[in-house]
Amino acid sequence: MNAQVLSDAVWAALAAVVVAAVAASHLSRLRLERLSVVMRRIEANRAGYVAVLLGWMWLGWHFFAR
Amino acid sequence: MNEPARRRATVAVGVAAAAGLSSWAALTVPFSTGADAVTALGLGLVTVEVAARWHRPALAPAGTPTGGDGVARARWWPWLVLGVALVAWELVCLFLGPRVDHPTVSSLYDSATRSQVVKGACFFAWLCLGAALVRS
């Protein structure tokens, strides 16, 4: 297995885990907090909200402008 | 115009504006004036809305069991573990190089957005995230 295939496989596995976690968080018996709730907890703190906002700004500038 | 109708009209205008900006963004290339302008416009719109609502009290976290009422609290730490794993693999790829063998999120994005439709969809999703931040 070459390095490129391995890297792609790891990215694919991580993406699959994220999708599975989002799905699992909607099943109450698994007791995994929903991502939206986690984000809202972070944003309830003003410093956390500013950090999330700055992260969103950086994301846009990095991917779309630069 | 009553409140629900005004709300629906605001959402419709917002979606139309986001679709227009996304179509424009899809036609731009990075490091160009057009790309800077469309991104700055999206940033500016969200920043103005955030500033206008700055003194509103933040929404309380949605009702999840707190643990104090005999119901087990939902776990948040798996999200932290997942975030750390993503950042760690991004850093591994960043420092291992070359990009063709160890693509970072940025290089994966560059490959995906050779399609203008995908690029427009990514920009639209970014604007939706910004709108969600405004509502917080």
Side-chain angles (χ1 to χ4, degrees):
Chain A
M1 183 185 288
N2 65 30
Q4 185 184 5
V5 173
L6 178 66
S7 287
D8 289 349
V10 173
W11 279 123
L14 286 169
V17 172
V18 170
V19 171
V22 168
S25 69
H26 285 78
L27 303 171
S28 58
R29 65 189 168 83
L30 291 178
R31 292 194 291 112
L32 176 62
E33 195 108 73
R34 291 184 186 186
L35 191 54
S36 58
V37 176
V38 174
M39 291 308 296
R40 200 171 277 187
R41 281 190 199 284
I42 294 170
E43 291 169 13
N45 175 296
R46 195 137 277 185
Y49 180 64
V50 170
V52 171
L53 194 64
L54 289 174
W56 174 82
M57 289 176 165
W58 175 84
L59 204 66
W61 197 254
H62 176 68
F63 284 115
F64 304 117
R66 295 292 130 192
Chain B
M1 188 184 287
N2 60 18
E3 187 59 33
R6 191 184 356 241
R7 192 173 174 80
R8 277 196 299 273
T10 304
V11 170
V13 169
V15 170
L21 279 176
S22 302
S23 302
W24 179 14
L27 300 173
T28 64
V29 291
F31 299 99
S32 66
T33 307
D36 288 355
V38 72
T39 308
L41 205 51
L43 287 171
L45 287 171
V46 170
T47 304
V48 165
E49 278 299 306
V50 167
R53 296 163 192 237
W54 185 251
H55 290 293
R56 288 189 189 179
L59 292 174
T64 51
T66 60
D69 53 3
V71 181
R73 184 181 182 139
R75 289 169 292 207
W76 57 270
W77 58 263
W79 291 110
L80 179 64
V81 172
L82 195 48
V84 168
L86 284 164
V87 170
W89 185 244
E90 168 76 1
L91 290 174
V92 167
C93 289
L94 185 67
F95 290 112
L96 270 183
R99 286 289 165 275
V100 68
D101 284 340
H102 300 285
T104 59
V105 172
S106 299
S107 56
L108 290 170
Y109 167 83
D110 287 341
S111 302
T113 53
R114 289 199 189 108
S115 156
Q116 291 179 332
V117 174
V118 174
K119 184 167 186 177
C122 288
F123 196 89
F124 189 82
W126 176 67
L127 288 177
C128 289
L129 277 176
L133 287 176
V134 168
R135 283 201 302 270
S136 294

